[in-house]
Amino acid sequence: MERNFLLKIEYDGSGFSGWQRQPEVRTVQGELEAALSQVMGKPVQIHGTSRTDAGVHALGQQASFSGEFGIPTERIAQAVNNRLAGKGGGIGKIGRVGDVRILSVCEMPAEFHARFSSLGKRYRYLIGNSPETDIFRRKYCYQVQEPLDEAAMQKAAEFLVGTHDFACFQASGSTPRETTVRTIYSLTVNRQGQDIVLEVTGDGFLYNMVRIITGTLVEVGLGRRRPEEMTGILESCDRQKAGHTAPPEGLYLAEVFFDEDAVRSAREEGMDCRDKEKKR
Amino acid sequence: MERNFLLKIEYDGSGFSGWQRQPEVRTVQGELEAALSQVMGKPVQIHGTSRTDAGVHALGQQASFSGEFGIPTERIAQAVNNRLAGKGGGIGKIGRVGDVRILSVCEMPAEFHARFSSLGKRYRYLIGNSPETDIFRRKYCYQVQEPLDEAAMQKAAEFLVGTHDFACFQASGSTPRETTVRTIYSLTVNRQGQDIVLEVTGDGFLYNMVRIITGTLVEVGLGRRRPEEMTGILESCDRQKAGHTAPPEGLYLAEVFFDEDAVRSAREEGMDCRDKEKKR
């Protein structure tokens, strides 16, 4: 009997050429499919909710796959993770930590698909805003040394919440889509010491949308743009009017929503989303 | 006129095949020499205090080089660092952070040599001791999921302080040295939340000595060895009696001492060494 599985996955994107399987290069999908195929005993193809770019991280990517498999659901994660973990240099299993791992596996109804069933996503963008750069964090945040005014950034962010045509925040040259209208349920900018954490929840995101929004908000934070300019930028539908594309290293796919209740609750409690994930 | 320079350097070792220049692979010495040669206008060879292994980091490596150069001392660091920094994805210079950089440059007397003039070094070893591994820290600490008893580790560490034959803590197959006697001025083990930080200051270290000491102390922390066993291990002069070699990812070359006063003060204030470097 055909079974359908949903994986929740985290990865450090710094060692990958992005999510999507490609010949000759190391990708998250490629590594996962190789390990899964070994564990399941036959070739497995997975469908990820988000095809994250090279260097982008995930705390809660999701992916589904189906087929006829005998293995009990609860054994999959451990078996795959053992294959994904590096050799490490410690004793026994100590110190073996890979750069991608499965957090959970659920068995889903046949019609479920990680991409097409997704109702929304939450991304986090981490900015290091210290006068000194930190070489050890260069793959994990966008380091802006000049002080950023996070209140101005938050003010600008509020103009973007709601249903808008976000064409101006789409990378130029993107594959044309049916529509560039998307809904942002919440977009918050918070300072945590010398870090600025941007959290954005929406029903879907155009190519590079979070990174261009972040780059634009950084320019507001630096005083190069006023928060009120966001309305004009949105209305222009012109990529040239928005700010620069923030680098991939600061971007984390934090959460995927499949359930309408979860989306509603994320919408209502948008401001508290970040508290749910104390981990990072 | 020949000038002699001393560089203080930090690097994230995760992208390097160690310090020492080698053909075909990316090394810290190789990258620094390439950038320095461009800036100085002629080939430069540097001498590092410590030839750190692949994956090992440095907060305060030092290296010297000499030659006839016209450039003012104070311009060197910035010019080299600009070449070493990655392109980044931000605007202008924002977001450009490399994985190696010069922290300071001093002009020294002609007879000074970063390796031969060194009187001691301080290493830090970082252990992540959380029940959950963190994929984002796998290149930056040794992740031990079972709880470690840091008090037992500290007790064991105290047996190693002083002048001893550390042959048992030298990697087997190391190039023979004149003597395997070294002096450890201080060796502390401290818990900082879910991290355990080991700091060791000594006049010199055998090959893999800090990593084998750490591996042995981890085994004490896990309850597999008693602190009192350290005396017998030392006296055996037998690598087989000591514990496993902790992985390179947790090791940081923290500080190099050239000055007798600095060594004396490190010795006297051994317990407080870690407070001097609040940064990490």
Side-chain angles (χ1 to χ4, degrees):
Chain A
M1 205 194 75
E2 181 115 333
R3 295 161 73 196
N4 192 16
F5 294 99
L6 174 63
L7 311 173
K8 188 171 174 186
I9 302 151
E10 70 171 0
Y11 47 87
D12 173 343
S14 60
F16 294 102
S17 300
W19 168 265
Q20 195 163 18
R21 187 190 336 111
Q22 298 171 59
E24 311 289 321
V25 296
R26 187 168 184 262
T27 68
V28 185
Q29 184 183 11
E31 292 291 299
L32 279 167
E33 287 181 343
L36 271 167
S37 299
Q38 285 189 310
V39 167
M40 308 308 278
K42 56 178 80 165
V44 169
Q45 283 204 14
I46 61 176
H47 305 278
T49 304
S50 173
R51 283 167 292 187
T52 55
D53 278 334
V56 174
H57 314 288
L59 309 173
Q61 166 77 292
Q62 307 237 15
S64 59
F65 68 97
S66 55
E68 293 189 13
F69 307 109
I71 188 171
T73 308
E74 65 277 14
R75 296 226 188 120
I76 298 173
Q78 186 69 59
V80 172
N81 289 343
N82 283 345
R83 278 172 174 74
L84 292 171
K87 272 183 241 153
I91 36 172
K93 286 190 179 178
I94 297 180
R96 293 183 57 206
V97 187
D99 55 355
V100 48
R101 74 177 157 201
I102 296 178
L103 299 173
S104 65
V105 182
C106 300
E107 201 157 344
M108 304 298 282
E111 67 278 11
F112 181 89
H113 186 284
R115 186 141 68 96
F116 304 128
S117 306
S118 157
L119 295 176
K121 279 176 280 194
R122 180 166 59 88
Y123 282 95
R124 176 177 306 173
Y125 197 98
L126 183 59
I127 300 167
N129 189 37
S130 160
E132 298 253 346
T133 54
D134 182 342
I135 62 168
F136 295 95
R137 295 181 75 202
R138 76 197 183 293
K139 299 284 182 70
Y140 305 103
C141 65
Y142 178 17
Q143 302 197 30
V144 179
Q145 292 170 263
E146 284 180 66
L148 291 168
D149 177 350
E150 69 274 14
M153 292 170 75
Q154 177 65 60
K155 198 170 165 192
E158 282 157 20
F159 289 100
L160 303 180
V161 175
T163 302
H164 304 283
D165 185 335
F166 285 98
C168 63
F169 292 111
Q170 176 176 244
S172 50
S174 302
T175 318
R177 310 226 191 178
E178 260 181 55
T179 169
T180 46
V181 173
R182 294 289 183 277
T183 300
I184 289 183
Y185 301 129
S186 80
L187 173 51
T188 61
V189 180
N190 284 91
R191 180 173 286 276
Q192 298 179 355
Q194 294 198 312
D195 286 342
I196 288 178
V197 183
L198 192 148
E199 298 258 3
V200 56
T201 304
D203 63 351
F205 295 89
L206 304 168
Y207 188 56
N208 277 358
M209 178 166 152
V210 180
R211 290 168 53 192
I212 301 170
I213 286 176
T214 302
T216 309
L217 294 182
V218 163
E219 294 174 25
V220 170
L222 292 169
R224 299 186 192 174
R225 294 171 183 266
R226 288 176 302 109
E228 295 73 21
E229 290 175 42
M230 301 307 280
T231 312
I233 294 170
L234 267 179
E235 285 169 358
S236 76
C237 291
D238 178 1
R239 170 68 189 90
Q240 300 302 315
K241 300 282 191 240
H244 69 285
T245 306
E249 289 80 7
L251 186 59
Y252 296 77
L253 172 57
E255 202 172 352
V256 178
F257 303 106
F258 295 108
D259 185 285
E260 287 190 24
D261 291 342
V263 176
R264 187 159 45 239
S265 120
R267 191 182 318 207
E268 285 163 8
E269 301 163 32
M271 299 296 291
D272 300 316
C273 263
R274 63 195 173 282
D275 299 326
K276 291 184 193 162
E277 194 116 15
K278 290 272 181 202
K279 215 182 128 195
R280 295 200 68 79
Chain B
M1 206 194 74
E2 180 114 330
R3 296 160 75 196
N4 192 16
F5 294 99
L6 174 63
L7 311 174
K8 189 173 173 185
I9 302 151
E10 69 172 0
Y11 48 87
D12 173 343
S14 61
F16 294 103
S17 300
W19 168 266
Q20 195 164 16
R21 187 192 333 113
Q22 298 171 59
E24 311 289 321
V25 296
R26 186 167 184 263
T27 68
V28 184
Q29 183 184 13
E31 292 291 298
L32 278 167
E33 287 181 344
L36 270 167
S37 297
Q38 285 189 311
V39 167
M40 308 308 278
K42 58 177 79 163
V44 169
Q45 283 204 13
I46 62 176
H47 305 278
T49 304
S50 173
R51 284 167 292 187
T52 55
D53 277 335
V56 174
H57 314 289
L59 309 173
Q61 167 76 292
Q62 306 238 15
S64 59
F65 69 96
S66 56
E68 292 190 13
F69 307 109
I71 187 171
T73 307
E74 65 276 14
R75 296 227 188 119
I76 298 173
Q78 185 70 60
V80 172
N81 289 343
N82 283 345
R83 278 172 174 75
L84 292 171
K87 274 183 236 153
I91 37 173
K93 284 191 182 176
I94 297 181
R96 291 182 59 205
V97 187
D99 55 356
V100 48
R101 72 177 158 202
I102 296 178
L103 298 173
S104 66
V105 182
C106 300
E107 202 158 342
M108 305 298 282
E111 66 279 11
F112 181 89
H113 186 282
R115 186 142 68 95
F116 303 128
S117 307
S118 157
L119 297 176
K121 281 177 277 195
R122 181 166 59 87
Y123 282 95
R124 177 177 305 173
Y125 197 100
L126 183 59
I127 299 167
N129 188 36
S130 160
E132 298 254 346
T133 55
D134 182 342
I135 62 169
F136 295 96
R137 296 181 75 202
R138 77 198 181 291
K139 300 284 183 70
Y140 304 103
C141 64
Y142 179 18
Q143 302 197 30
V144 179
Q145 291 171 263
E146 282 181 67
L148 291 168
D149 176 351
E150 69 275 14
M153 293 170 74
Q154 176 64 61
K155 199 172 163 194
E158 283 158 20
F159 289 98
L160 303 180
V161 175
T163 302
H164 303 284
D165 186 335
F166 285 99
C168 64
F169 292 110
Q170 176 176 246
S172 50
S174 301
T175 317
R177 308 225 191 179
E178 260 180 58
T179 169
T180 46
V181 173
R182 295 290 184 277
T183 299
I184 290 184
Y185 301 128
S186 79
L187 173 51
T188 60
V189 180
N190 283 90
R191 180 173 287 277
Q192 298 179 357
Q194 295 200 311
D195 286 342
I196 288 178
V197 184
L198 192 148
E199 298 258 2
V200 56
T201 304
D203 64 351
F205 295 89
L206 303 169
Y207 187 54
N208 277 359
M209 177 167 153
V210 179
R211 290 167 54 192
I212 300 170
I213 287 176
T214 302
T216 309
L217 294 182
V218 163
E219 294 175 24
V220 170
L222 292 170
R224 299 187 192 174
R225 292 172 185 266
R226 288 176 301 111
E228 294 73 19
E229 289 176 43
M230 302 306 281
T231 312
I233 294 170
L234 267 178
E235 285 170 358
S236 75
C237 290
D238 178 1
R239 171 69 190 89
Q240 300 302 316
K241 301 281 189 241
H244 69 286
T245 307
E249 289 79 9
L251 185 60
Y252 296 76
L253 172 58
E255 202 172 353
V256 176
F257 304 105
F258 295 108
D259 185 284
E260 286 190 27
D261 291 344
V263 176
R264 187 160 43 240
S265 120
R267 193 181 317 208
E268 284 163 8
E269 301 164 32
M271 300 296 292
D272 300 318
C273 263
R274 63 195 175 280
D275 299 326
K276 291 183 190 161
E277 192 113 16
K278 291 272 182 202
K279 213 182 131 195
R280 295 202 67 78

